[in-house]
Structures are given as C-alpha cells and as structure tokens.
Amino acid sequence: MSWQTYIDDHLMCEIEGGGQLKAAAIVGHDSSVWAQSTNFPKFNAEEIKPILIEFNDPGHLAPTGIFLGGTKYMVIQGEFGAVIRGKKGSGGITIKKTNKALLFGIYDEPVVAGQCNLIVERLGDHLIDQDL
C-alpha cells in the first residue's frame, strides 16, 4: 500500500456521522513528507523539531504552543511519547508518533477532537505494529 493510500483511505476518509478531517499528512522524523492531503499546510522543518522534542520532553511546547504552517495550536492533553494534541478555536490537531514517522490530523467543525484522535491514533497504532 502506498503512503498516499493511507492518507486518502484512512485519514481523509468519511467519518461515521458525517464529515472528514480538514487535512492530514505522514511526515518522517527527518521532516520529509511521505504523503499528504492536498490542503495540508506548507510547513518547514523548524516547526517539526519542537514537536519531536515534545515527545521526549513533555511540557516543552506548553509555553509556546504547536506551530504548523504558521498556525499556532494550544497544547492540550496527550500521551507521553505517543500522542500530542492541540486546539485552535473549534478545531485542532492530533499528532501520533510511530517508529519512523509522525501522523498529523487537522480537524474543524463538524468533526470533533475525539473523532480526529481515533482516526489518527488507530492508523498510528497499525503502523507501529508494522514496525513503521
């Protein structure tokens, strides 16, 4: 299965109850884009570095927030070493770390945080099981 298929079929899929994520991407730990939705924000590698640090040093992003494509998200609860979650207005972001990549899901109404978390984290767990 191609990386783009993971985006198209698993992250940007129709969500039960209607709607879909606003944008999604799979990005290597080196900041290289493996696949992304057409509307995923353009970002630079400098925005990925603090995200990777947060996975090993929780609380690192709390004072500054998560920046992606110039958009700032307030850091909310996550799971140490596995998931970072952020909020901006009625939307937000979920970032799941696998062995080799970061999965990004960005959502806005009518999608809610729990739906985004479920989609991103389920695929992330599958990729971890595959040692990816």
Side-chain angles (χ1 to χ4, degrees), residues 99-116:
N99 300 335
K100 300 178 183 178
L102 300 174
L103 279 67
F104 290 84
I106 300 173
Y107 68 93
D108 211 345
E109 288 182 328
V111 175
V112 296
Q115 292 170 308
C116 181

Side-chain angles (χ1 to χ4, degrees), residues 71-129:
T71 299
K72 179 181 179 178
Y73 298 89
M74 178 182 64
V75 178
I76 56 176
Q77 94 287 357
E79 296 173 28
F80 174 71
V83 179
I84 299 171
R85 297 182 184 108
K87 185 83 173 136
K88 178 177 175 34
S90 61
I93 189 168
T94 302
I95 308 165
K96 172 76 174 181
K97 182 181 180 196
T98 71
N99 300 335
K100 300 178 183 178
L102 300 174
L103 279 67
F104 290 84
I106 300 173
Y107 68 93
D108 211 345
E109 288 182 328
V111 175
V112 296
Q115 292 170 308
C116 181
N117 297 343
L118 182 66
I119 290 168
V120 173
E121 294 174 38
R122 184 176 13 187
L123 178 58
D125 290 341
H126 169 74
L127 294 178
I128 289 169
D129 289 345

Side-chain angles (χ1 to χ4, degrees), residues 47-55 57-67 72-75 84 95:
E47 292 176 313
I48 301 300
K49 289 178 185 176
I51 292 169
L52 286 168
I53 291 170
E54 178 74 12
F55 281 108
D57 184 16
H60 172 78
L61 287 176
T64 60
I66 302 164
F67 283 88
K72 179 181 179 178
Y73 298 89
M74 178 182 64
V75 178
I84 299 171
I95 308 165

